[in-house]
Amino acid sequence: MRRASLGLLTIGAFARASRLSPKALRLYDELGLLRPVSVDPRSGYRFYAPEQLERARLVAWLRRLGMPLARIRRVCELDGPAAADEIADYWREAEVRSREKLASFLMNHLSRKDEPMSPLTIRYAVRTDRGLVREENQDVAYAGPNLLAVADGFGGATASAAAIDALKPLDDTVPAGDLLNALSDAVERAGTAVRELGEHVGTTLTALVRSGSRLALVHIGDSRVYLLRDGRFFQITQDHTLVQSMIDDGRLTAEEALSHPQRSLLVKALHSDGSAEPDLELRDAQPGDRYLLCSDGLYTALEPAALREVMTDVADPGEAVRELVDLANSRGGPDNIACVVADVA
């Protein structure tokens, strides 16, 4: 009460005023981006000054632009004109990257939309697990003849389930000429479904949609897709995380990222503000390909060599997903797990 009389705001009041969640405020404190002016030594409760609201609201708006936290810190350290220039530079770069990805997707789609459909089929298996530490499972996975998807929710399992439910109509056969519209509608449904759940909930979403011999990839967050092709095992998605943005900027190595304390901090996901757009990509499917879609509960527990060994040595997809989950749990099972293994024939 004494602190309240001095005009400081509790973390709850500051969160409501700044439109940042208490969880986000705690993370920004750990990152040195937005420090409280006072912390109760006994309870650890954080208190903020009203004068910090301007910076907090700036952080919230920059997050809506999709700006990585490391770059937001840089903006906050600059004076007004320099900060404006930095935001303008980021927006130009982001717009170019976004347009390049969309243009590439459109060119691939339109140049081949009238190609004859190839009779490829997919054998698949799916498994989710709570792990050994979490009290509930917020990971959801789905596999069907034309749709493979995983989602890792936060704030409750409803967001991940809602996002995947929105994609399930894509499991019906999607003609190549309708693929782009079908994807656009599904992504919009997924975003709307998550936003309707309210604030402080969200999910990653990573999915492959088959149309003939092509696979359309939809990806946002840090769930992953790996591909085993001709003996090579490699990741085909890029994590939308703080540490990945630091790697891309050359300020962190991949090895350093493995032990970084904020390695799971997302910079893009489906959540209430609705500002982040998923990555879209069109890929050729080849007979003999094997895909692994998984949440971070799998790949953080198992190094790439272990994933590759199971994907290479265990022929049956059902046995492969069981082996992967059991192996992750044998390493401590620190998080929920969702995985799909799919073979193209």
Side-chain angles (χ1 to χ4, degrees):
M1 296 298 293
R2 180 171 177 269
R3 287 183 174 84
S5 68
L6 293 176
L8 297 186
L9 301 174
T10 65
I11 189 171
F14 192 77
R16 289 190 294 273
S18 64
R19 297 188 178 182
L20 291 168
S21 70
K23 181 179 179 181
L25 289 172
R26 287 189 287 270
L27 285 170
Y28 298 163
D29 179 13
E30 294 172 8
L31 292 169
L33 182 60
L34 189 61
R35 297 282 196 190
V37 297
S38 177
V39 179
D40 188 284
R42 286 181 294 184
S43 67
Y45 212 69
R46 296 166 170 84
F47 295 86
Y48 295 81
E51 301 80 53
Q52 293 180 281
L53 283 171
E54 183 177 357
R55 179 174 178 134
R57 287 167 179 155
L58 175 61
V59 171
W61 280 109
L62 294 176
R63 292 287 287 121
R64 288 192 175 195
L65 288 179
M67 184 179 287
L69 291 172
R71 193 152 185 179
I72 291 176
R73 183 189 293 113
R74 190 188 316 166
V75 171
C76 290
E77 291 170 352
L78 298 172
D79 60 21
D85 289 342
E86 181 69 19
I87 294 171
D89 288 344
Y90 168 76
W91 186 246
R92 282 192 292 268
E93 295 166 10
E95 191 172 25
V96 168
R97 288 193 298 268
S98 177
R99 288 181 176 181
E100 285 178 345
K101 289 181 179 179
L102 180 57
S104 176
F105 182 85
L106 288 171
M107 287 186 292
N108 285 333
H109 168 69
L110 294 172
S111 65
R112 299 154 58 191
K113 64 181 291 187
D114 296 323
E115 288 181 3
M117 303 283 279
S118 300
L120 294 179
T121 59
I122 298 178
R123 293 178 61 233
Y124 52 83
V126 58
R127 186 175 177 189
T128 63
D129 193 89
R130 180 172 60 87
L132 304 180
V133 176
R134 303 291 188 185
E135 294 183 357
E136 62 175 337
N137 190 0
Q138 301 188 63
D139 288 7
V140 177
Y142 176 87
N146 297 304
L147 173 66
L148 313 169
V150 296
D152 179 356
F154 50 90
T158 52
S160 49
I164 286 189
D165 284 346
L167 261 62
K168 285 182 180 178
L170 296 176
D171 205 21
D172 294 333
T173 300
V174 180
D178 294 335
L179 182 58
L180 187 62
N181 288 334
L183 279 175
S184 177
D185 291 344
V187 169
E188 185 174 345
R189 286 196 305 270
T192 299
V194 173
R195 288 193 298 275
E196 289 177 348
L197 296 174
E199 297 183 1
H200 313 318
V201 299
T203 185
T204 71
L205 182 63
T206 300
L208 290 171
V209 182
R210 186 180 75 89
S211 180
S213 62
R214 292 188 290 280
L215 292 172
L217 171 66
V218 179
H219 169 66
I220 186 168
D222 66 346
S223 295
R224 291 180 177 178
V225 181
Y226 293 91
L227 171 60
L228 179 67
R229 173 178 285 177
D230 298 330
R232 295 180 59 238
F233 181 71
F234 50 97
Q235 181 182 339
I236 65 173
T237 52
Q238 183 175 39
D239 298 342
H240 298 141
T241 59
L242 172 65
V243 296
Q244 185 60 54
S245 68
M246 295 171 71
I247 292 171
D248 295 341
D249 291 342
R251 292 179 290 108
L252 196 69
T253 67
E255 292 72 22
E256 291 169 336
L258 295 174
S259 58
H260 195 280
Q262 276 79 43
R263 60 186 176 276
S264 297
L265 183 60
L266 296 173
V267 297
K268 286 178 67 173
L270 292 179
H271 51 82
S272 58
D273 73 17
S275 62
E277 293 292 335
D279 294 341
L280 295 176
E281 185 179 341
L282 204 59
R283 305 185 63 87
D284 286 315
Q286 298 180 11
D289 284 349
R290 168 170 272 198
Y291 288 89
L292 168 64
L293 289 76
C294 63
S295 62
D296 64 340
L298 185 70
Y299 68 76
T300 55
L302 302 178
E303 64 277 7
L307 295 175
R308 183 186 188 283
E309 182 177 358
V310 174
M311 292 288 288
T312 302
D313 295 345
V314 182
D316 179 70
E319 293 181 9
V321 294
R322 285 192 295 271
E323 178 71 19
L324 287 167
V325 172
D326 291 347
L327 192 55
N329 282 332
S330 74
R331 306 284 177 87
D335 202 352
N336 302 153
I337 305 165
C339 65
V340 174
V341 172
D343 294 336
V344 179

